[in-house]
Amino acid sequence: MDRRGSVVGPQSGLPSPSPRDPLLFPDSHMDVQGYKWVRWRVWLCRLAALLSLGLLLILFHWRPRLAVLARCRSCPLALADILLLRDSFGQQHVVEVLTEEMEEGSWEVLAGQEDAEWRDTVQLYEEEKTLLRYYRFEGLRYVWLSRKGAFCSVSVLNEDWTCKDVHNFKKGLNLLEQSLRRRLYGANLIDVPVKSYMALLVEEVLNPFYVFQIFSVILWAIDDYYIYASIIVVISLISIGISLYETRKQSGTLSNMARFVTNVTIRRESGQEVRVSSEDLVPGDCLIIPPEGLVLPCDAALLAGECLVNESMLTGESVPVLKTSLPAVDRKYSSESERRHTLFCGTQLIQAKGGHSGGGGAVAVVTSTGFFTAKGNLVSSILYPQPINFRFYKDAFKFMFILGFLAFIGSVYIFVVLYRANVSWLQLIIRSLDIVTIAVPPALPAAITAGTIYAQSRLKSEGVFCISPPRINVCGKVSLFCFDKTGTLTEDGLDVWGVMEAGPAGFSELVPDPRHLPTGPMLSGLACCHTVTLLRDELIGDPLELMMIESTGWTLQEPEEDVHTMDAEFGGHKVLAVMDPPTGSSQAMAIVRRFPFSSVLQRMSVVTVARGGRSALAFIKGAPEMVASLCRPETVPSQFASELRNFSSEGLRVLALAYKAVDVNSDLKTVDREDVEKDMQFLGFLMMKNQVKKESGEVINMLTAAQVRSVMVTGDNILTAVSVAKSCGMVAPEEKMIYVIANPHTGRSMPTLRFSLEDGGSAGANGSIEVLTQNLSQGGFAYHLAINGKSFAALCDYFPDDLPKVLMRATVFARMAPDQKTQLVKELQKLNYRVGMCGDGANDCGALRAADVGVSLSEAEASVASPFTSKTQNISCVPLLIREGRCSLVTSFSLFRYMALYSLIQFICVIILATERTSPGDWQFVFWDLVLVTVLALVMGMGGPSEVLHSQRPPASLLALPVLGSLFVHICMIALGQTAALLITTSRDWFVPLNSTVFGTANLPNMENTSVFALSGFQYIIMAIVVTKGYPHKKPLFYNWIFFCVLIVQLTLMTWLVLYPGPAFGQLLQLYDFSDMNFKLLLVAVAALNLLVCFLVEVLIDLGILNCLRLLRGTHPSKKQYKRLNNLLSDSSSWPPLNQTMTPRYHTVVSIS
């Protein structure tokens, strides 16, 4: 048996019983190694920990893998006590294998209920007892399945459920089955552990930052820096206290949000309905939903009735959604594909009806519990965020190693100097180690988060909420932003623009007001084909459908207490809603079956019955191309394509309707969707005007000026999308639109790819096409591509070489299904774009999560949909996010550089003074670190973002030439400045050398120390001024008035300490009292010169003076693939090949390595 295995996750999407979404849960496929305890190794490690005074345990705490390797031996997974997991990001985790004894014969009961996977589980592990072997990781359970030879998520045990299988649970589980399932799946809890203050304290103190701090404090105390050490201890304790309070408060808040236990009604196999705690629910339980609804404690498939659900917490969609019963068909159940029939955990069920006895309430079957639910996904995304692949964070830790190397050199230098001075060995060791605590500032990693904290606070005040603060810095590097159309770029509300009926002779005249339509199927279809429902006498539903109903003048009624009376009025069919025309109730129609809109299917349909049950009609509404494909060809007018093109080109939202007669004597309640939606008769078009939001054009123009590409990704018609793209400025009036038409392989034809010019380009003269093709290359980006979902799929499958080139020039992606939106984001990321995505609905959730920066327009403060949620219902939040991201990134850069330079100033100061056999005093360190540096670091990041988006993005690499170059120059200036101060002092006639028979603070005050202290004090302030960047990504320095005031106060304070410190401060700081005023002024002048030189150097580096060094190595192509590809396409005169039909064997001129 293998010692190494894998965790087998389920094979489909969010949420369970299908597996965890790989975007949210990348650990669904992990590399797993099994280990078994070795007793003698365990005891040896305990002894080593004792002898090392606990240092070995601290090392094991930081590196759990080492603890496993030291105490255990490798073994087959089936026998393992400990597992070492490696996730897809390369991070390692250690988990313990747990066992639970199962009753004899229990597996046979379960095996009788399920198929193959349960039978696997029967053979879990056998010794003398039947044991269930499992482990928990990030809230999920993984059980051992011997036939697979792997630990599998428990959700795989029901991932093969079909919709018919789900319906089979309608009768409920018996007590034994329920008990066994609960033992297997665990309690239905999303349990966020809230640790005690003592546990949090231990974790905090064992953080490398505080371990280093403890080491430093001990070292300082031994070196007689008692005051400084005491102050650092007090500050650290205050910091730890605040951190513990905030951590526990956040854990408590999340725990209260996550943990939800209520009493629910379930049906037993006997038919009895009992009240149980939601904690005891398991997949397969039959849940009875009351008419007044409830907050759902699990994920469930709706089997009978309809539910009105508020899903804003999950999707950001503020409009309640109508859920209908799951069809009992023989296809695989997935909560994603069947989301219109799935109730998600944590959502508010506002109303339930038509599914239980008496017509009230509904019936559902539990499909997922605990962390496998949609709410569990949300909590998991907060508890276990994905590591962010951002260069700035990687470089920050590499930079720590550079400082560590400098510290090593400094230690060696100090050791040699002191060894020659014949100091004691204790002093030698302490001084050599002390330089490490100076050169490597423990607060450096914390400094990079300061800019993010300030930005998050500013965003919150603007109504933008963030659940992943590190992504704020990523916003600063976004190079492309995708936008949904409806509700994002355009208004939510739609106005009915007109109706055009189809008939045997073609289309009739346009009817602007549907009320003027003659009585017939078209008018009935407009009134009945919807999922609108009543809540407390108010119509609730999709804004488009609300406007459609209003335009007909029909009114909606729903069955109340006496439902059977209304059923009897319509032939005994179960009535969901009744639509009454204004002309008289005799023509009323009852909706008896609804098939909700699906963005994948691009349609919705209903089955209606006339009063008296005389006849039944099915209506369908959706994308014109889809509806036409489901109609009998002879009923679709020949002008269909041209009329659709005309209306769509005007930016109208076009829907098509169709109908057919249904056998009224059949069981309409159980009729299949596939049977309803075929052989329809085409009715005509409904046109709706969707206005572009006034902010959309302004924002798109702003992003274009800032060289951030804008792309539209919509489920709407391609011509409508192109019209909106032109209206909002994505496509300029003088720019051409080229349509990408790709066809998949069929039995009759090869896959083809064609680029067709708009406005009938194919019909134009060949000469004009050639001229245009030349102009495309000469004019740069003077054209845009538009592609629909069908062509996008064919392009991905059959023309992968052309896909990157299309992505580089495509601006409109229309008729895109939700999974295609996600795929598009990933393909753009492969080109090294930093991709943003802005949307407002459930269809965008996958793309929002896949994007580097996802922004959901929603009233909710946090949703699983995206890292950012904006309460402003337009895209004005996008430039705000980018501006705040750039400001945060620049601030993080500034703070990081400042903290590094602060350490190096002190490092150089200590090195110079150690050479002179002295060192800074206790209160001098306190003054530098607390009065100067800490205050500056706290207020430095307060400056807000620039009001304008600049065309140049800020750098993200700390190891880039400008950053390292400026640091090198500043270090040289720092060293020169301090050395100059020392040499000026020693060159004076009145100079008196210090007492060389003692070392360190014993010979304070002295002239050398005082002069170097004075200049280094100025340098802390100088570097804060130099590295604090304003233009172009932050407001100028004086806008941060607190920082500006602090600088003036500190410069005044330092000048006063140099010119006239006074006896009190002079004695406290152990400063030598120089009597020569000219000398003191000279020191201030040296500091001013230091500021001037460093500031000029920084300005010159910002202007690109170091770029001349790059010329020495020659020009190199950009590391970003999209930039290289853009250069190649700009130089190509043959791409895109207009009006040429290409096959997969066709090779174009442009290629990219």
Side-chain angles (χ1 to χ4, degrees):
M1 186 178 290
D2 290 341
R3 290 172 170 21
R4 181 186 291 267
S6 64
V7 173
V8 180
Q11 301 302 310
S12 44
L14 161 103
S16 300
S18 308
R20 304 175 105 191
D21 189 332
L23 291 168
L24 284 175
F25 302 99
D27 300 318
S28 56
H29 295 272
M30 293 179 289
D31 180 52
V32 184
Q33 291 175 277
Y35 291 89
K36 203 165 186 65
W37 294 114
V38 178
R39 188 170 298 177
W40 67 267
R41 287 190 183 184
V42 172
W43 280 104
L44 192 62
C45 286
R46 288 174 181 172
L47 179 62
L50 191 64
L51 295 174
S52 65
L53 302 178
L55 291 178
L56 184 66
L57 296 180
I58 294 175
L59 180 63
F60 285 170
H61 177 76
W62 292 344
R63 290 286 180 266
R65 181 174 178 270
L66 294 179
V68 173
L69 296 177
R71 296 165 172 167
C72 306
R73 62 175 174 81
S74 180
C75 72
L77 290 178
L79 306 174
D81 299 320
I82 296 290
L83 299 177
L84 190 62
L85 313 179
R86 184 191 294 273
D87 62 29
S88 56
F89 298 107
Q91 295 183 335
Q92 293 188 324
H93 312 269
V94 175
V95 296
E96 183 181 357
V97 176
L98 306 172
T99 58
E100 194 168 327
E101 188 177 348
M102 304 296 286
E103 291 87 350
E104 199 65 38
S106 59
W107 297 114
E108 284 74 8
V109 174
L110 292 174
Q113 294 293 321
E114 310 290 351
D115 286 336
E117 293 302 341
W118 286 111
R119 295 196 182 100
D120 266 352
T121 315
V122 173
Q123 307 298 328
L124 284 180
Y125 190 72
E126 290 194 25
E127 291 174 343
E128 296 178 2
K129 304 172 184 176
T130 303
L131 294 178
L132 169 68
R133 305 185 78 248
Y134 67 97
Y135 70 88
R136 294 193 190 96
F137 179 66
E138 295 186 351
L140 301 184
R141 276 192 170 211
Y142 294 83
V143 297
W144 173 254
L145 298 182
S146 60
R147 196 176 70 184
K148 286 184 178 288
F151 282 93
C152 302
S153 160
V154 290
S155 64
V156 304
L157 301 175
N158 51 341
E159 72 167 344
D160 289 329
W161 280 358
T162 64
C163 296
K164 189 178 289 185
D165 292 334
V166 176
H167 270 271
N168 291 338
F169 287 104
K170 193 173 182 179
K171 63 182 182 297
L173 302 174
N174 60 43
L175 279 171
L176 177 59
E177 289 172 337
Q178 212 272 349
S179 172
L180 294 174
R181 285 173 182 269
R182 187 172 184 277
R183 188 166 290 188
L184 185 68
Y185 288 94
N188 177 33
L189 284 176
I190 303 170
D191 213 359
V192 177
V194 180
K195 297 176 181 176
S196 66
Y197 278 111
M198 184 53 67
L200 287 172
L201 178 63
V202 172
E203 277 191 11
E204 192 79 7
V205 170
L206 291 179
N207 184 299
F209 166 80
Y210 285 112
V211 170
F212 188 75
Q213 200 82 298
I214 291 167
F215 165 75
S216 302
V217 166
I218 293 170
L219 207 61
W220 297 329
I222 295 172
D223 202 18
D224 297 334
Y225 285 100
Y226 299 117
I227 297 169
Y228 182 72
S230 302
I231 291 173
I232 294 298
V233 167
V234 171
I235 291 174
S236 296
L237 288 174
I238 294 170
S239 174
I240 288 173
I242 294 171
S243 177
L244 294 187
Y245 172 76
E246 288 295 328
T247 302
R248 200 164 195 275
K249 181 183 174 184
Q250 289 172 9
S251 295
T253 303
L254 187 59
S255 179
N256 292 336
M257 185 270 279
R259 188 183 176 90
F260 176 70
V261 179
T262 185
N263 289 327
V264 294
T265 303
I266 63 169
R267 180 183 291 161
R268 296 287 186 207
E269 193 177 42
S270 60
Q272 179 188 9
E273 294 181 2
V274 295
R275 296 282 287 175
V276 298
S277 170
S278 60
E279 195 174 344
D280 297 327
L281 291 176
V282 295
D285 268 330
C286 183
L287 188 64
I288 307 300
I289 301 169
E292 66 276 11
L294 77 163
V295 176
L296 205 67
C298 59
D299 284 359
L302 185 60
L303 300 190
E306 294 183 335
C307 291
L308 191 63
V309 188
N310 180 355
E311 292 187 332
S312 60
M313 186 191 80
L314 297 179
T315 65
E317 191 81 70
S318 56
V319 178
V321 181
L322 185 69
K323 303 280 183 162
T324 59
S325 55
L326 181 74
V329 293
D330 199 15
R331 67 167 178 260
K332 188 175 179 179
Y333 172 80
S334 159
S335 61
E336 187 59 39
S337 61
E338 308 290 350
R339 65 180 303 123
R340 279 292 186 174
H341 313 295
T342 302
L343 308 172
F344 294 108
C345 178
T347 57
Q348 174 72 54
L349 272 62
I350 303 171
Q351 184 180 13
K353 58 186 179 182
H356 200 220
S357 55
V363 179
V365 163
V366 178
T367 55
S368 302
T369 56
F371 274 95
F372 286 102
T373 63
K375 184 179 177 181
N377 288 346
L378 169 60
V379 176
S380 242
S381 67
I382 299 171
L383 274 178
Y384 314 108
Q386 291 184 43
I388 294 176
N389 182 23
F390 195 46
R391 191 170 180 179
F392 175 66
Y393 299 123
K394 292 179 180 178
D395 287 355
F397 289 98
K398 291 178 183 176
F399 199 83
M400 293 287 283
F401 287 107
I402 295 175
L403 292 178
F405 178 70
L406 287 176
F408 173 73
I409 294 173
S411 295
V412 172
Y413 177 80
I414 292 288
F415 185 89
V416 172
V417 168
L418 298 186
Y419 183 77
R420 288 181 177 178
N422 296 319
V423 300
S424 67
W425 276 99
L426 180 63
Q427 278 285 85
L428 198 67
I429 294 169
I430 289 171
R431 289 290 172 182
S432 299
L433 291 175
D434 187 43
I435 201 74
V436 177
T437 68
I438 292 169
V440 184
L444 197 57
I448 66 177
T449 65
T452 302
I453 292 167
Y454 287 123
Q456 187 177 11
S457 175
R458 289 192 298 265
L459 284 171
K460 190 173 182 180
S461 66
E462 295 283 346
V464 179
F465 300 90
C466 174
I467 62 171
S468 180
R471 288 193 183 269
I472 294 175
N473 278 345
V474 181
C475 293
K477 293 297 288 181
V478 167
S479 49
L480 181 148
F481 231 103
C482 300
F483 295 94
D484 179 39
K485 182 180 76 71
T486 308
T488 303
L489 293 171
T490 61
E491 299 286 354
D492 276 322
L494 293 156
D495 298 321
V496 173
W497 193 79
V499 179
M500 185 176 275
E501 276 195 275
F507 285 103
S508 64
E509 290 294 319
L510 179 75
V511 179
D513 188 352
R515 295 171 195 258
H516 298 151
L517 285 170
T519 301
M522 186 67 179
L523 182 60
S524 300
L526 291 172
C528 299
C529 197
H530 59 78
T531 56
V532 173
T533 186
L534 277 176
L535 178 63
R536 291 185 282 275
D537 297 326
E538 183 182 350
L539 293 176
I540 300 292
D542 187 283
L544 181 150
E545 294 183 335
L546 291 173
M547 191 60 68
M548 185 179 74
I549 294 173
E550 184 184 330
S551 71
T552 63
W554 289 44
T555 55
L556 185 145
Q557 295 180 30
E558 289 187 344
E560 295 180 356
E561 284 78 15
D562 193 8
V563 293
H564 298 297
T565 303
M566 186 171 282
D567 293 349
E569 289 181 27
F570 292 90
H573 294 282
K574 182 71 177 176
V575 175
L576 301 176
V578 174
M579 299 302 300
D580 280 320
T583 54
S585 61
S586 60
Q587 297 174 356
M589 302 188 75
I591 301 171
V592 296
R593 190 85 162 97
R594 285 186 179 117
F595 299 103
F597 175 79
S598 164
S599 53
V600 176
L601 299 176
Q602 299 180 340
R603 62 184 184 270
M604 64 86 57
S605 56
V606 296
V607 179
T608 64
V609 175
R611 188 177 291 278
R614 300 185 304 275
S615 61
L617 296 176
F619 294 96
I620 185 173
K621 172 181 99 258
E625 304 92 336
M626 177 56 69
V627 171
S629 70
L630 299 170
C631 293
R632 300 195 308 276
E634 66 272 14
T635 67
V636 181
S638 57
Q639 309 99 318
F640 171 87
S642 60
E643 293 291 351
L644 174 60
R645 181 181 181 85
N646 291 337
F647 290 129
S648 298
S649 299
E650 293 178 32
L652 297 172
R653 178 87 179 268
V654 185
L655 298 174
L657 287 91
Y659 87 110
K660 75 173 181 181
V662 181
D663 183 5
V664 74
N665 296 317
S666 62
D667 187 0
L668 301 179
K669 190 178 178 181
T670 60
V671 65
D672 291 338
R673 185 168 191 161
E674 290 76 10
D675 293 333
V676 170
E677 296 174 345
K678 67 179 183 181
D679 299 328
M680 308 290 284
Q681 180 172 335
F682 190 79
L683 280 174
F685 291 139
L686 166 67
M687 281 72 70
M688 306 193 86
K689 187 70 175 175
N690 194 195
Q691 297 291 340
V692 175
K693 294 177 181 177
K694 61 182 178 61
E695 299 86 359
S696 297
E698 299 169 5
V699 170
I700 297 300
N701 291 334
M702 199 182 300
L703 294 179
T704 303
Q707 294 189 2
V708 177
R709 235 184 104 191
S710 299
V711 169
M712 184 192 299
V713 190
T714 178
D716 210 341
N717 179 278
I718 192 167
L719 297 173
T720 305
V722 167
S723 174
V724 172
K726 291 179 177 178
S727 300
C728 67
M730 280 188 184
V731 178
E734 69 278 5
E735 293 176 324
K736 294 293 181 181
M737 183 60 70
I738 298 171
Y739 294 93
V740 183
I741 304 162
N743 293 306
H745 177 76
T746 65
R748 298 180 179 180
S749 63
M750 290 284 291
T752 58
L753 176 63
R754 186 178 178 85
F755 295 87
S756 177
L757 187 66
E758 66 176 334
D759 301 327
S762 59
N766 290 332
S768 64
I769 293 292
E770 291 172 8
V771 171
L772 175 64
T773 304
Q774 292 174 3
N775 289 339
L776 292 183
S777 61
Q778 293 166 2
F781 199 178
Y783 65 95
H784 296 262
L785 302 182
I787 186 171
N788 62 24
K790 179 184 174 184
S791 293
F792 179 74
L795 190 68
C796 293
D797 291 340
Y798 300 104
F799 300 90
D801 292 339
D802 290 285
L803 178 62
K805 289 172 273 181
V806 171
L807 294 179
M808 278 302 303
R809 293 293 185 255
T811 300
V812 174
F813 294 83
R815 290 283 187 246
M816 296 286 278
D819 60 333
Q820 288 183 313
K821 292 183 180 182
T822 306
Q823 185 182 0
L824 171 64
V825 168
K826 291 180 177 180
E827 292 295 340
L828 288 168
Q829 287 170 332
K830 289 178 184 177
L831 295 178
N832 305 126
Y833 276 112
R834 283 283 176 192
V835 181
M837 173 72 196
C838 183
D840 71 330
N843 297 337
D844 308 315
C845 283
L848 287 167
R849 289 195 299 268
D852 296 291
V853 176
V855 192
S856 173
L857 305 183
S858 167
E859 291 295 326
E861 286 196 10
S863 74
V864 76
S866 63
F868 298 94
T869 306
S870 172
K871 286 195 170 185
T872 307
Q873 297 300 297
N874 58 63
I875 63 171
S876 61
C877 60
V878 169
L880 172 67
L881 257 179
I882 296 175
R883 286 192 293 112
E884 284 289 2
R886 291 181 177 185
C887 175
S888 172
L889 188 55
V890 168
T891 302
S892 297
F893 253 79
S894 298
L895 276 165
F896 191 92
R897 291 172 64 204
Y898 180 65
M899 295 305 290
L901 286 167
Y902 141 68
S903 295
L904 292 168
I905 291 169
Q906 209 164 91
F907 175 77
I908 292 167
C909 174
V910 171
I911 289 284
I912 290 173
L913 292 179
T915 308
E916 297 296 316
R917 300 180 63 79
T918 185
S919 65
D922 209 347
W923 281 103
Q924 289 178 0
F925 276 119
V926 172
F927 179 78
W928 283 337
D929 286 9
L930 299 186
V931 179
L932 298 182
V933 175
T934 302
V935 175
L936 284 169
L938 285 174
V939 298
M940 189 187 291
M942 288 183 174
S946 171
E947 296 294 335
V948 194
L949 265 181
H950 197 263
S951 59
Q952 185 178 358
R953 287 181 287 277
S957 174
L958 284 167
L959 303 180
L961 181 62
V963 178
L964 293 178
S966 70
L967 281 175
F968 176 75
V969 173
H970 293 325
I971 291 167
C972 293
M973 290 299 105
I974 289 164
L976 282 173
Q978 292 185 21
T979 306
L982 181 64
L983 293 176
I984 290 170
T985 306
T986 57
S987 65
R988 294 285 153 171
D989 297 335
W990 39 256
F991 172 70
V992 179
L994 52 76
N995 182 3
S996 60
T997 60
V998 293
F999 181 83
T1001 57
N1003 54 26
L1004 290 179
N1006 59 65
M1007 294 183 180
E1008 295 92 328
N1009 169 274
T1010 303
S1011 58
V1012 174
F1013 165 82
L1015 200 79
S1016 59
F1018 275 115
Q1019 285 175 337
Y1020 292 120
I1021 306 168
I1022 290 167
M1023 287 304 123
I1025 297 170
V1026 169
V1027 302
T1028 302
K1029 294 289 171 61
Y1031 179 84
H1033 304 301
K1034 287 183 71 175
K1035 289 180 179 176
L1037 182 69
F1038 53 81
Y1039 275 90
N1040 186 357
W1041 61 270
I1042 298 177
F1043 180 52
F1044 193 66
C1045 290
V1046 167
L1047 287 175
I1048 293 172
V1049 169
Q1050 289 189 348
L1051 284 170
T1052 305
L1053 177 62
M1054 275 308 305
T1055 306
W1056 172 68
L1057 282 175
V1058 173
L1059 298 180
Y1060 184 73
F1065 278 95
Q1067 187 175 353
L1068 178 67
L1069 295 174
Q1070 296 177 285
L1071 300 177
Y1072 186 89
D1073 186 12
F1074 293 105
S1075 58
D1076 187 349
M1077 182 56 70
N1078 290 331
F1079 168 73
K1080 295 178 183 179
L1081 291 171
L1082 185 58
L1083 281 179
V1084 175
V1086 170
L1089 181 63
N1090 199 167
L1091 169 61
L1092 181 64
V1093 172
C1094 288
F1095 190 80
L1096 285 174
V1097 165
E1098 191 71 18
V1099 169
L1100 289 172
I1101 289 173
D1102 285 344
L1103 293 174
I1105 195 170
L1106 292 180
N1107 289 341
C1108 61
L1109 297 178
R1110 289 178 177 159
L1111 298 176
L1112 299 176
R1113 67 171 188 178
T1115 56
H1116 286 268
S1118 171
K1119 292 180 181 178
K1120 296 189 183 300
Q1121 190 175 348
Y1122 75 88
K1123 289 185 177 180
R1124 301 200 309 271
L1125 187 52
N1126 184 54
N1127 292 335
L1128 287 168
L1129 290 178
S1130 298
D1131 295 338
S1132 171
S1133 60
S1134 61
W1135 202 92
L1138 294 178
N1139 296 334
Q1140 298 178 31
T1141 301
M1142 302 188 299
T1143 65
R1145 291 185 298 275
Y1146 183 97
H1147 296 290
T1148 54
V1149 172
V1150 179
S1151 63
I1152 184 166
S1153 58

